Amino acid sequence: MQSAASPQTEPNFNSDFYFQREIPENLAFLETLSWNFFWSWNYEAANLFRELDSQLWEKCEQNPRLLLREISELRLWQKAADADYVEKLNSTAEKFNDYLAAAPNSLGKITADHPAAYFCAEYGVHNSLPIYSGGLGILAGDHLKSASDLKVPLVAVGLIYRFGYFRQKIAHDGWQTETYLDSFDNQLALFPVLSENGERILIKVHIRGREVFAQAWLAHIGRIKLYLLDTNVEENAEVDRLITGHLYGGDTETRIVQEKILGIGGVRLLRQLQIEPSVYHLNEGHSAFLTLELAREFLQKNSDASFADAIAEVREKCVFTTHTPVAAGNDTFPPEQIEDCFDANLISALKISKEEFLALGRTNPDDANEWFGMTPLAIRMARSANGVSAKHGAVSRQLWLKMFPEETPVEDVPITHITNGVHAPTWIAPPFQTLYEKQIGKNWQEILKDEAAWRTAIEKIPDAEIWRTHRILKHLLVAFIRHRTFSSETGLRETINEHQDTQQLFSPDVLTIGFARRVAAYKRWNLILSDVERLLKLVGDAEKPVQFVFAGKAHPQDKTAKALLQKLMTLNASPEWQRRAVFVEDYDQEVARYLVQGVDVWLNVPIRPMEASGTSGQKAAMNGGLNFSILDGWWIEGYNGTNGFSIGAADDADDADEALIDAQDAESLYQTLETEIVPAYYQTDENGLPNEWIRRMKDSLTTLTHQFSSDRMVKDYIEKIYLSENLVSDK
Ligand SMILES: *Cc1c(COP(=O)(O)O)cnc(C)c1O
């Protein structure tokens, strides 16, 4: 069906991008494994790389391709001579081969011949494929991993950003600085997509008054193929080669042309690969131009048809997920830029006027001043639209009500919701996975699919075992923090980012609160510092202290966010504060893993109702961390009164005085910490176990792991969205 060749069958890429080294024959599987991100959610597979050379593995930032290039010949042959290692390798190889050999399921009209096509501007599969910035990307990565595990026929399309997203450093004055690295210097696990005669497939899209070419790369995510378009080819002008240069780096014009490559180029690539999807999933509006390409194709084939016929046809095939609850969070472009980027030929091929074309992206088609929005375009051109939590569904219905006929009751707006989830084997720490293997069985992931069976299984695990496992992860977090802080140590002064003695930092015995997220206004980093005196009292308590670990990036152009970060960084408050508060630079998937797996409490304080869903708290919950959060996004559905803690009221902050809401939420935050969280954490029984706390941990593990797993999410997408014929609302 597909003409794209894989390197196992076609090793001559005539490209120096690939480094082929000789690997001992009995370790040959390492080479195979390094080409499939399967290893990134199977810890035994990842351990094969780590055990080769654990220091080098860290140095290579867990990139197996790079590891296999850098590793010494001596080390390779030592492992080839290590019978235990080879035995582990063989058993993992068997699992991997069985996994890949399984045939995909047929799910109604979604079949291997007509898969679902998933489009997204970013994918967070693993750090070694640095094409994500945050939540949206991680969610897309988890979607692919669950689709793979569930044998869903699905193909994914995205862009490869040569310079990825920025790396964060904090300067001595507490100001964030950014650097971009060339991802292609680092051996990416990507195959060039080739045609039958072995040449690189090139697709072209008319952009900036000329043809722009893109080649494609293929990443294997278990059973799922992820195709990534890349305009860095010789055929292009220098500026066009940079279209896929940076993720969210450019101006609005760059955004439009990136989104043209993703949407229009993405469909053209699928055609060249002879893939005929049964459904196109637009994950966020970035890819919405694909609907115009589908319409153009239809009109080309059906010369008598009108644009209205084309819309009907396209809608049948397209479904759309929106991810932001605020109008400003949706991509919009000035009409003149859209006109510049779309040539008259395309518009006339659609059999509409320029005015009608521009109206496709407006909430009010008649308002010539309105900018062109990707969300209105997607809502018009897709048969289904959904938000990412129940609350976000409701907020989206309100937000887009104006696009529907006057007097449409808000509850009838056809926007439903599928609540986000995270990929359990990716995010549950290996020590918990081995605990589950011992206590529940090797098939614990199967049991997790059944909510009731999972509850029974977790309840049977002895408290002491849960606590022991959590303590190991907490020690690991403390060691990680000391290590990272030591590496970035300057010794110039004591702040939460610079330390003279990293070995005194943090303690595994102290109640640990994690706060890691983008530094954006609505995430309210400032709420925590709103009463420094009260905060320091908590942190400095002689008997029952609290410690904080922070991480997060500010958008390079967002000076307000950077100033906020600087304030936190330079708060030179007391020796206790400097010892018990740290900021870990360069928040990414790796940092996230240590944090969500090791903290006692995961804190989230967004302004209601701005958190569409949030997923980091779900990751913490799966590792026994207790959520302590504003009732917004997923937490409204997750919180049951005992499986974590809530902050503030449940109603929206919409019309109320912002400063007042902040003050109320801050009071609730401090008070809950002082009167509930700290006392519960430090109350231990005669065996030294904090049983009240462990009871809550188990409550969290039983009630949240299944419900907020991406397996549940992907199943919901298939049943309620991909396979449903009609527009659905939440009614
Ligand atoms: C999970 C994750 C996110 C998204 O978390 P939120 O709860 O939406 O803030 C962002 N960045 C990284 C690195 C993550 O792992």
Side-chain angles (χ1 to χ4, degrees):
M1 184 186 71
Q2 290 172 25
S3 42
S6 74
Q8 282 90 349
T9 57
E10 188 100 21
N12 308 320
F13 308 134
N14 44 20
S15 157
D16 50 14
F17 176 66
Y18 291 97
F19 174 87
Q20 300 287 332
R21 83 170 298 151
E22 221 169 301
I23 290 189
E25 206 178 326
N26 63 350
L27 302 187
F29 171 65
L30 288 175
E31 173 75 17
T32 310
L33 185 62
S34 72
W35 287 108
N36 192 316
F37 286 92
F38 170 89
W39 68 265
S40 72
W41 71 92
N42 288 275
Y43 72 88
E44 285 164 340
N47 281 347
L48 291 177
F49 295 121
R50 177 172 294 109
E51 282 176 32
L52 267 190
D53 184 335
S54 62
Q55 282 193 352
L56 188 61
W57 179 240
E58 294 307 318
K59 202 168 147 228
C60 295
E61 300 184 330
Q62 296 93 28
N63 177 347
R65 297 294 319 138
L66 195 57
L67 178 81
L68 292 182
R69 188 183 78 183
E70 299 291 316
I71 188 143
S72 75
E73 189 188 359
L74 176 62
R75 196 61 202 153
L76 267 181
W77 282 99
Q78 282 172 341
K79 296 315 275 184
D82 175 344
D84 285 348
Y85 181 79
V86 174
E87 197 182 306
K88 273 190 273 186
L89 180 135
N90 288 338
S91 101
T92 306
E94 204 172 310
K95 267 189 219 156
F96 175 77
N97 291 329
D98 288 350
Y99 184 91
L100 285 196
N105 288 325
S106 271
L107 305 157
K109 64 185 177 191
I110 305 173
T111 62
D113 285 341
H114 298 289
Y118 188 87
F119 278 69
C120 192
E122 50 170 312
Y123 289 92
V125 176
H126 184 263
N127 268 6
S128 58
L129 187 57
I131 54 167
Y132 69 93
S133 78
L136 179 69
I138 304 275
L139 182 84
D142 283 357
H143 194 106
L144 302 194
K145 291 171 183 174
S146 275
S148 174
D149 290 345
L150 298 169
K151 306 191 197 99
V152 179
L154 184 140
V155 54
V157 179
L159 301 175
I160 175 89
Y161 304 94
R162 181 164 164 211
F163 300 102
Y165 198 57
F166 74 88
R167 296 285 185 100
Q168 176 195 52
K169 291 285 284 174
I170 305 292
H172 295 322
D173 61 357
W175 194 253
Q176 171 184 296
T177 59
E178 301 93 23
T179 43
Y180 288 89
L181 305 178
D182 187 336
S183 313
F184 282 85
D185 287 347
N186 273 331
Q187 302 289 314
L188 301 173
L190 295 177
F191 301 146
V193 179
L194 306 175
S195 67
E196 258 149 19
N197 55 19
E199 301 198 334
R200 293 213 60 153
I201 282 184
L202 279 186
I203 56 104
K204 58 181 189 213
V205 182
H206 197 88
I207 287 172
R208 297 170 170 163
R210 52 187 177 260
E211 299 294 348
V212 170
F213 296 87
Q215 59 185 357
W217 300 90
L218 171 60
H220 288 284
I221 319 300
R223 302 175 175 115
I224 301 292
K225 291 189 165 83
L226 167 59
Y227 292 98
L228 300 167
L229 287 164
D230 174 14
T231 62
N232 185 24
V233 296
E234 277 171 13
E235 288 80 354
N236 285 337
E238 205 55 42
V239 287
D240 296 337
R241 293 179 74 153
L242 276 171
I243 292 174
T244 53
H246 303 82
L247 173 59
Y248 305 144
D251 53 13
T252 52
E253 198 265 353
T254 316
R255 287 291 275 268
I256 300 175
V257 297
Q258 280 185 340
E259 294 180 8
K260 279 189 78 172
I261 295 286
L262 174 63
I264 296 174
V267 171
R268 291 185 184 168
L269 176 71
L270 293 179
R271 296 297 175 259
Q272 284 223 24
L273 299 170
Q274 292 164 23
I275 298 174
E276 275 294 333
S278 47
V279 56
Y280 293 82
H281 184 173
L282 287 61
N283 193 46
E284 191 48 295
H286 306 120
S287 58
F289 291 142
L290 81 84
T291 61
L292 302 177
E293 175 64 4
L294 295 179
R296 192 195 59 78
E297 283 183 337
F298 174 78
L299 291 168
Q300 196 174 31
K301 278 191 215 128
N302 302 275
S303 53
D304 297 339
S306 67
F307 185 63
D309 300 331
I311 292 193
E313 179 75 17
V314 171
R315 280 174 68 95
E316 200 131 299
K317 287 217 157 74
C318 294
V319 301
F320 167 57
T321 301
T322 173
H323 287 265
T324 109
V326 279
N330 291 272
D331 255 349
T332 56
F333 303 116
E336 37 321 331
Q337 264 182 6
I338 288 283
E339 268 181 67
D340 283 349
C341 292
F342 280 88
D343 63 306
N345 286 343
L346 173 75
I347 299 177
S348 64
L350 294 177
K351 299 187 182 174
I352 49 176
S353 68
K354 196 182 76 189
E355 252 322 296
E356 287 168 311
F357 180 80
L358 291 174
L360 289 171
R362 297 185 192 132
T363 56
N364 173 4
D366 299 325
D367 179 1
N369 292 323
E370 192 181 324
W371 283 22
F372 189 100
M374 297 303 273
T375 303
L377 175 66
I379 288 176
R380 275 204 180 89
M381 302 296 279
R383 73 169 143 81
S384 142
N386 71 279
V388 291
S389 68
K391 174 79 190 176
H392 180 231
V395 170
S396 301
R397 286 190 287 279
Q398 188 69 54
L399 190 61
W400 302 107
L401 173 65
K402 54 182 183 265
M403 283 187 63
F404 295 88
E406 235 174 284
E407 283 164 40
T408 303
V410 69
E411 64 275 16
D412 285 353
V413 169
I415 299 178
T416 181
H417 78 276
I418 303 287
T419 303
N420 283 346
V422 298
H423 188 242
T426 295
W427 293 105
I428 297 178
F432 264 111
Q433 296 198 35
T434 43
L435 176 69
Y436 293 159
E437 281 164 21
K438 280 210 196 86
Q439 298 278 338
I440 299 174
K442 284 274 178 203
N443 64 338
W444 68 270
Q445 289 186 43
E446 284 305 308
I447 291 182
L448 176 56
K449 289 180 180 146
D450 177 341
E451 198 162 11
W454 178 253
R455 178 182 295 269
T456 317
I458 292 287
E459 271 159 13
K460 279 197 199 134
I461 302 178
D463 284 7
E465 286 297 297
I466 300 266
W467 191 243
R468 184 187 56 78
T469 308
H470 174 62
R471 288 277 301 173
I472 287 174
L473 290 164
K474 213 170 153 186
H475 272 281
L476 196 60
L477 171 65
V478 171
F480 173 73
I481 286 172
R482 289 176 180 172
H483 175 76
R484 271 289 177 105
T485 316
F486 178 74
S487 316
S488 71
E489 186 183 29
T490 58
L492 289 180
R493 54 183 176 158
E494 290 287 337
T495 66
I496 68 166
N497 190 47
E498 298 186 354
H499 296 272
Q500 282 163 0
D501 185 358
T502 51
Q503 293 317 307
Q504 298 300 314
L505 262 184
F506 256 54
S507 157
D509 300 322
V510 171
L511 169 61
T512 303
I513 299 178
F515 186 79
R517 50 206 67 257
R518 240 169 349 111
V519 189
Y522 82 87
K523 302 269 194 186
R524 288 199 293 190
W525 280 65
N526 50 342
L527 208 68
I528 301 160
L529 298 184
S530 62
D531 189 340
V532 173
E533 207 175 304
R534 211 162 161 187
L535 180 68
L536 293 182
K537 219 166 146 234
L538 279 161
V539 167
D541 191 284
E543 246 121 72
K544 299 171 179 176
V546 178
Q547 61 195 0
F548 286 89
V549 53
F550 300 98
K553 293 176 176 178
H555 191 280
Q557 273 122 45
D558 189 346
K559 292 229 166 68
T560 319
K562 286 188 180 179
L564 219 112
L565 214 46
Q566 187 176 37
K567 186 175 159 205
L568 171 72
M569 230 52 78
T570 52
L571 181 75
N572 210 334
S574 69
E576 279 87 17
W577 173 252
Q578 311 308 355
R579 190 155 59 94
R580 297 208 174 106
V582 288
F583 182 87
V584 181
E585 285 175 345
D586 206 29
Y587 184 45
D588 63 4
Q589 221 171 336
E590 175 72 358
V591 174
R593 217 186 323 277
Y594 280 103
L595 264 55
V596 299
Q597 294 173 353
V599 297
D600 300 302
V601 170
W602 192 253
L603 176 65
N604 193 16
V605 288
I607 300 174
R608 286 177 301 270
M610 309 273 262
E611 189 79 300
S613 166
T615 51
S616 55
Q618 301 171 347
K619 301 167 194 167
M622 287 188 182
N623 287 286
L626 297 183
N627 277 273
F628 176 35
S629 171
I630 296 280
L631 287 166
D632 198 14
W634 79 280
W635 191 229
I636 299 175
E637 291 158 67
Y639 182 54
N640 69 0
T642 50
N643 60 1
F645 306 91
S646 67
I647 301 171
D651 50 325
D652 287 354
D654 285 346
D655 309 319
D657 176 358
E658 240 177 69
L660 182 69
I661 302 266
D662 281 358
Q664 285 167 349
D665 287 349
E667 174 60 31
S668 170
L669 167 80
Y670 289 120
Q671 198 182 7
T672 310
L673 266 174
E674 292 157 356
T675 62
E676 285 187 58
I677 297 181
V678 174
Y681 181 82
Y682 284 104
Q683 185 188 47
T684 52
D685 68 4
E686 64 279 9
N687 302 315
L689 291 179
N691 20 34
E692 157 73 11
W693 194 267
I694 299 171
R695 192 182 57 69
R696 282 179 185 268
M697 286 172 74
K698 282 173 108 169
D699 195 7
S700 174
L701 290 169
T702 52
T703 55
L704 303 173
T705 311
H706 167 89
Q707 194 183 347
F708 298 101
S709 76
S710 53
D711 279 6
R712 189 274 308 146
M713 174 182 77
V714 167
K715 277 190 198 152
D716 278 354
Y717 270 107
I718 292 166
E719 285 161 23
K720 297 179 187 166
I721 306 281
Y722 297 174
L723 292 179
S724 97
E725 296 298 329
N726 301 314
L727 286 171
V728 270
S729 74
D730 268 5
K731 246 172 91 173

